[in-house]
Amino acid sequence: MKRNMVLKATLATIAVIGAILGGVYALIVWEGSSARGEAPALEATVAQWLLYHTVPAEFRAIKNPLDTAAGSPDVSAGQEVYRNKCELCHAYDGAGKSEIASGQYPRPPDLHGDIVQRMSDGELFYHIKNGIRHTGMPAWELPDRKIWQVSAYLRNLPKVAALSPHASGSPPVADVSYPASTTSLRR
């Protein structure tokens, strides 16, 4: 009798796991692998939760040791590092609207948006230094001071970007449409 109950419980567990895996597979196939669409809300929520929990607690508690006041030499130095390393994907104003970003999945985040601005200084430092797996965010081999400077710049990004030479309008983004000969290849 007990043996039958254990066997039934095992088969039920296998069936439930199989159904869950089948559902996940169907969802992935249904959404496809294109990088053109936006992430569904559930995927974005799970990704943010995972991103938060991948940062060790001791990093989340760290405060930026540099001067983070707008106009400070550290913020200016961070802006230079940002221009050289980050602007290509995150755009001059941090909004993530660049030619490269338009083809990435997931898209680079809006750096002056709530999600990034709510991160602690230590989280920003951790993500810049170590990168973020399964995204286009690389780990940067920069001295810690330069990473803290970028973090200080990101805290002041909305103010500093407004003073940028591009503030009157976004720099032009190249047309990334397909040539006519490849339209039959698209779905």
Side-chain angles (χ1 to χ4, degrees):
M1 182 76 173
K2 274 192 166 195
R3 192 174 192 174
N4 277 346
M5 287 178 52
V6 170
L7 182 61
K8 285 181 181 179
T10 302
L11 290 175
T13 302
I14 290 171
V16 168
I17 291 172
I20 290 171
L21 291 175
V24 168
Y25 176 75
L27 181 65
I28 291 170
V29 169
W30 175 65
E31 286 185 358
S33 64
S34 175
R36 295 191 181 284
E38 294 299 320
L42 177 61
E43 181 181 337
T45 301
V46 169
Q48 285 302 315
W49 184 87
L50 288 170
L51 186 63
Y52 176 80
H53 286 83
T54 59
V55 177
E58 60 269 15
F59 273 92
R60 286 196 297 268
I62 297 174
K63 298 284 184 210
N64 193 330
L66 305 179
D67 183 2
T68 60
S72 75
D74 288 317
V75 171
S76 296
Q79 183 178 22
E80 282 306 308
V81 175
Y82 179 88
R83 282 184 183 149
N84 293 327
K85 303 287 187 187
C86 312
E87 190 173 292
L88 186 63
C89 293
H90 290 282
Y92 73 96
D93 63 352
K97 303 223 186 291
S98 68
E99 184 174 2
I100 286 181
S102 69
Q104 286 184 328
Y105 188 86
R107 309 267 185 272
D110 179 349
L111 297 177
H112 41 72
D114 286 345
I115 291 172
V116 174
Q117 291 300 318
R118 279 188 301 211
M119 289 181 181
S120 70
D121 293 341
E123 284 177 280
L124 289 175
F125 178 89
Y126 186 86
H127 292 311
I128 296 167
K129 184 166 188 78
N130 298 297
I132 303 173
R133 286 185 183 190
H134 309 295
T135 72
M137 179 63 188
W140 289 102
E141 295 295 328
L142 295 169
D144 287 358
R145 181 175 183 83
K146 290 213 177 276
I147 295 173
W148 283 121
Q149 288 170 335
V150 172
S151 178
Y153 172 68
L154 293 179
R155 291 290 183 221
N156 291 281
L157 188 58
K159 296 173 237 167
V160 177
L163 302 174
S164 166
H166 298 296
S168 60
S170 298
V173 175
D175 179 15
V176 290
S177 59
Y178 288 101
S181 63
T182 63
T183 55
S184 64
L185 301 174
R186 291 187 288 154
R187 286 189 195 215

